[in-house]
Amino acid sequence: MLRTFALFLAVTALLPAMANAGDRPNIVFVLADDLGLGDVSYYARAIRNREPFVQTPNIDSLAAQGLWFTDGHSATALCAPTRYAVMSGNNNYRSYAPPGVWSTFAPSAFKEGEVTLGTVVRDAGYSTGFIGKWHLGGDFYVPGTKTIYRGPKSGDLIGKVDVTRWIGGGPKYCGFDYDFTTPCGVQGPMYLFYENQQWYPWADDSEIVFFNEDVAKNPKDVSDKGPGPGDSNWDTRQVGKILSSKAVDFIHANAEKDAPFFLYYCSPMVHLPHCPTDEFDGRPVKGSSVTPHLDMTADLDMQIKRIVDALKTTGEFENTLFVFSADNGGLQDKKAAKQIGYQPGGEWNGSKNTPLEGGHRVPTFAVWPGHIEPGVSDELVVNQDMVATFASLVGTEIPKGQAQDSNNLLPLLTGNGRFEKREYFINQAGANQELMLRRMPWKLIIQSNFKRTSFEPKSLYHLGNDPHEDRNLISNPEFKATVEQMFQEYMDIVESGRPTAPGH
């Protein structure tokens, strides 16, 4: 009897810890590159009741188990500024480089001691890993010195910058215990992998060379961004396989540990150059669609399959919050548009780099079996909301004045607690320096310049009556007061520096 009672006490003592473990799920956050709503077959079938342009069965299967957001957005309509916003929880105008940190060798926009996507999870005792595309600058030495190189990012830099070691400003600086990183994804330059800040040779005979069309195994690997330092064995066609294999390794290694893990997986697919592999784990990729661009959606889909399979094999899938998003809208593809009617934004007008909805309304969903009820939500969410959401999930407090534009989505996802919705949304487009304020049903587009010294209202759309943004009402005298009011509101928000997310 005493032994039975002692056993009861021992089991009872374990219950709080067991419950706590269930409250601290693993986190996997996937950020795809240049992926529009028109690039995911689940969106076509389940949301629009249409035949899809491409087939993404593995993304579809995952999305069907989660909550899909029809009003899900990237922080901006372009890569680098979105990546800053996602990592910091801040709108990009708060950084030293409002249009984005584009150079491989530019200073980091993250300040010492500032919370990031990595630190809010790491500080809760998680094992953290970053895998994939960075595109947020970094520190590398001038050879033979302790001077940080800040010169050009392209061209023959052999002997001008030591790219064998990543000194600072990378994933480790932002709270990631482990990283396997491509500084610029597949677009270069550089055309190199790094593992924990050290150059990761592609093969035993790899050398760091001036990677141009003369030395590349596949000349198309040298993108429109130009040649630069690269691995002599670099082959863009295999990058998705390598990155996803590293993600699988990370999951398997951390599933054996007591602490939960966080994987931030930044796939460089489906960005240029579009160099599809012949096959991926037995699935044909090259030639599977009408263009090499759309072939790359199959590559991304198989990367997701590997990650999900690893979670299931290790028994971690049921205890993992999985979030999927993209850094901006999809790409225009004239050949696919002509042959199959392809539109990167689905029914939304615009594409990557534009202020229209198709430039930043992206595939967005979250899965957590038993905690997130599968379905569809029309609530406005932004991928920079992950900082506040993950901090709330793991119990990390964000200091006042940080992650000011990140909204806690956890109550929305789980149905537990009070969710505070956004009353307005501030974001920006791309290289043409357009800025946006949305306060439903209105959306104002403001023309600025690279230095953000000029601001002029450019377009006004009523998204309720004109979701495709075909009728610009900026010159209609009936809406002059609306334009003036929204323009003044935008300027007041930015100039005051006040938070744009509720609850701050």
Side-chain angles (χ1 to χ4, degrees), residues 342-384:
Y342 170 76
Q343 294 295 330
E347 78 272 35
W348 301 98
N349 198 3
S351 56
K352 172 184 178 176
N353 203 34
T354 73
L356 302 177
E357 290 295 291
H360 47 86
R361 196 179 287 241
V362 297
T364 307
F365 63 86
V367 180
W368 185 10
H371 295 266
I372 297 177
E373 184 176 348
V376 178
S377 171
D378 62 0
E379 195 64 58
L380 170 62
V381 301
V382 191
N383 49 26
Q384 71 196 31

Side-chain angles (χ1 to χ4, degrees), residues 132 140 162-164 166 180-185 188-194 199-202 207-209 211 228-232 234:
F140 297 82
D162 179 2
V163 295
T164 62
W166 194 329
F180 189 85
T181 307
T182 60
C184 305
M190 301 183 287
Y191 302 91
L192 296 168
F193 287 130
Y194 290 85
W199 170 49
Y200 180 91
W202 192 290
E207 298 177 287
I208 295 177
V209 298
F211 191 81
D231 191 304
S232 56
W234 181 270

Side-chain angles (χ1 to χ4, degrees), residues 84-374:
Y84 167 80
V86 170
M87 187 68 76
S88 67
N90 289 321
N91 285 332
N92 210 63
Y93 60 76
R94 300 188 194 278
S95 82
Y96 81 85
V101 177
W102 291 99
S103 174
T104 308
F105 308 113
S108 171
F110 306 108
K111 300 173 184 176
E112 189 79 31
E114 186 178 47
V115 299
T116 68
L117 194 67
T119 65
V120 296
V121 183
R122 181 203 62 192
D123 292 352
Y126 277 61
S127 176
T128 55
F130 176 92
I131 294 176
K133 178 179 177 178
W134 184 244
H135 223 166
L136 289 166
D139 300 340
F140 297 82
Y141 285 144
V142 173
T145 75
K146 297 295 183 181
T147 301
I148 301 298
Y149 175 82
R150 296 295 185 212
K153 67 176 181 178
S154 61
D156 187 355
L157 302 180
I158 304 301
K160 298 178 182 179
V161 54
D162 179 2
V163 295
T164 62
R165 294 182 298 159
W166 194 329
I167 302 303
K172 182 179 180 181
Y173 181 74
C174 290
F176 292 94
D177 305 315
Y178 169 82
D179 76 272
F180 189 85
T181 307
T182 60
C184 305
V186 292
Q187 71 211 69
M190 301 183 287
Y191 302 91
L192 296 168
F193 287 130
Y194 290 85
E195 187 168 41
N196 293 332
Q197 300 83 55
Q198 300 291 324
W199 170 49
Y200 180 91
W202 192 290
D204 290 341
D205 63 347
S206 284
E207 298 177 287
I208 295 177
V209 298
F210 175 40
F211 191 81
N212 58 22
E213 292 182 359
D214 295 331
V215 303
K217 291 184 175 182
N218 177 26
K220 192 178 177 183
D221 286 349
V222 182
S223 77
D224 60 339
K225 304 301 181 184
D231 191 304
S232 56
N233 287 296
W234 181 270
D235 187 346
T236 299
R237 295 166 292 191
Q238 306 305 318
V239 168
K241 296 177 183 177
I242 293 172
L243 294 178
S244 55
S245 70
K246 288 294 182 179
V248 169
D249 291 346
F250 177 83
I251 291 169
H252 278 274
N254 284 279
E256 300 173 359
K257 300 177 181 179
D258 292 333
F261 60 83
F262 167 41
L263 171 62
Y264 183 25
Y265 185 78
C266 289
S267 174
M269 280 59 182
V270 296
H271 196 287
L272 284 165
H274 298 132
C275 301
T277 184
D278 289 337
E279 61 80 34
F280 196 131
D281 292 349
R283 176 179 173 180
V285 174
K286 186 176 182 179
S288 62
S289 188
V290 296
T291 62
H293 163 217
L294 295 185
D295 286 349
M296 300 311 297
T297 62
D299 191 300
L300 174 64
D301 192 57
M302 293 304 292
Q303 293 174 47
I304 300 303
K305 182 180 188 302
R306 279 189 174 181
I307 293 172
V308 172
D309 285 352
L311 291 171
K312 291 182 175 179
T313 299
T314 57
E316 297 293 338
F317 181 75
E318 299 294 322
N319 190 41
T320 297
L321 169 62
F322 196 117
V323 178
F324 185 96
S325 185
D327 65 347
N328 47 246
L331 299 168
Q332 293 287 352
D333 187 329
K334 293 181 179 179
K335 180 180 178 181
K338 183 177 181 179
Q339 290 193 17
I340 60 174
Y342 170 76
Q343 294 295 330
E347 78 272 35
W348 301 98
N349 198 3
S351 56
K352 172 184 178 176
N353 203 34
T354 73
L356 302 177
E357 290 295 291
H360 47 86
R361 196 179 287 241
V362 297
T364 307
F365 63 86
V367 180
W368 185 10
H371 295 266
I372 297 177
E373 184 176 348

Side-chain angles (χ1 to χ4, degrees), residues 415-435:
N416 298 320
R418 179 174 175 269
F419 171 66
E420 296 186 65
K421 63 171 60 184
R422 290 178 181 272
E423 298 299 329
Y424 60 91
F425 175 35
I426 280 187
N427 61 337
Q428 64 187 61
N432 293 326
Q433 311 303 327
E434 297 105 335
L435 316 170

Side-chain angles (χ1 to χ4, degrees), residues 388-411:
T389 301
F390 295 166
S392 177
L393 177 70
V394 304
T396 302
E397 184 174 347
I398 296 176
K400 188 174 181 180
Q402 298 194 37
Q404 298 182 80
D405 309 301
S406 187
N407 193 23
N408 176 19
L409 305 180
L410 194 61

